[in-house]
Amino acid sequence: GRHRLAAWLLVMPAVGPLRRMYSSARLADALALTLAAGVPIRQALILSSEATGDPEISHRAKATNEALKSGVR
């Protein structure tokens, strides 16, 4: 449903790059704020992923968090 639509919108010409930049900027802003507040990076990444408003970007951030947890490079 919503996740598939969000993934599709990210690869659409013209719309995809703009949506990805906007969601990534929201993620970066939220991550900067949570880290500045002293939240540990893994918890900050989870909290910040919810601030993107984009299910696909949120999913990717959570996957990055799992990679950090398991030590994957």
Side-chain angles (χ1 to χ4, degrees), residues 27-41 43-48:
L27 176 67
D29 286 344
L31 190 57
L33 288 171
T34 53
L35 290 173
V39 177
I41 190 162
Q43 185 179 359
L45 194 53
I46 292 293
L47 294 170
S48 300

Side-chain angles (χ1 to χ4, degrees), residues 49-66:
S49 72
E50 299 300 323
T52 66
D54 186 306
E56 180 61 19
I57 297 293
S58 180
H59 172 74
R60 291 177 185 188
K62 289 175 182 176
T64 299
N65 186 49
E66 287 302 312

Side-chain angles (χ1 to χ4, degrees), residues 14-38:
V15 174
L18 292 174
R19 187 174 175 96
R20 190 171 23 261
M21 285 187 292
Y22 176 75
S23 295
S24 296
R26 288 190 64 168
L27 176 67
D29 286 344
L31 190 57
L33 288 171
T34 53
L35 290 173

